[in-house]
Amino acid sequence: MEKIIIRDEFIKLGQALKLAGLVDSGVEAKIQIGEGLVKVNGEIEYQRGKKIRPDDVIEYDGHKIRVEN
């Protein structure tokens, strides 16, 4: 499982996808999330602004990313 490190209390889902290098832009993140292709902690997430906190796991396109601080 890959990981990303955040310095703040949370990061928004769209930003986390960009930080992990899974999407190239916010627009691409919005599209992928809106189409139901992204899971957070095992459940499909449709909110690009969803607050992602340490220990959350994002799944997208065969990748699993754990958020750490």
Side-chain angles (χ1 to χ4, degrees), residues 22-34:
L22 299 179
V23 296
D24 294 326
S25 68
V27 172
E28 185 180 354
K30 178 181 178 180
I31 292 168
Q32 302 306 312
I33 295 166

Side-chain angles (χ1 to χ4, degrees), residues 31-45:
I31 292 168
Q32 302 306 312
I33 295 166
E35 291 183 0
L37 301 176
V38 179
K39 291 183 180 181
V40 175
N41 299 325
E43 296 191 18
I44 296 173
E45 182 57 60

Side-chain angles (χ1 to χ4, degrees), residues 1-51:
M1 182 177 304
E2 303 168 50
K3 65 180 179 179
I4 58 172
I5 308 293
I6 61 172
R7 293 176 288 177
D8 298 318
E9 179 182 338
F10 66 86
I11 186 171
K12 292 182 180 176
L13 179 57
Q15 294 170 331
L17 290 174
K18 288 193 306 186
L19 181 62
L22 299 179
V23 296
D24 294 326
S25 68
V27 172
E28 185 180 354
K30 178 181 178 180
I31 292 168
Q32 302 306 312
I33 295 166
E35 291 183 0
L37 301 176
V38 179
K39 291 183 180 181
V40 175
N41 299 325
E43 296 191 18
I44 296 173
E45 182 57 60
Y46 293 99
Q47 297 178 51
R48 179 175 59 157
K50 166 86 172 158
K51 292 179 180 178

Side-chain angles (χ1 to χ4, degrees), residues 53-66:
R53 300 178 190 282
D55 295 325
D56 283 344
V57 176
I58 301 166
E59 297 177 54
Y60 171 68
D61 195 31
H63 297 272
K64 279 191 174 184
I65 309 293
R66 178 177 298 282

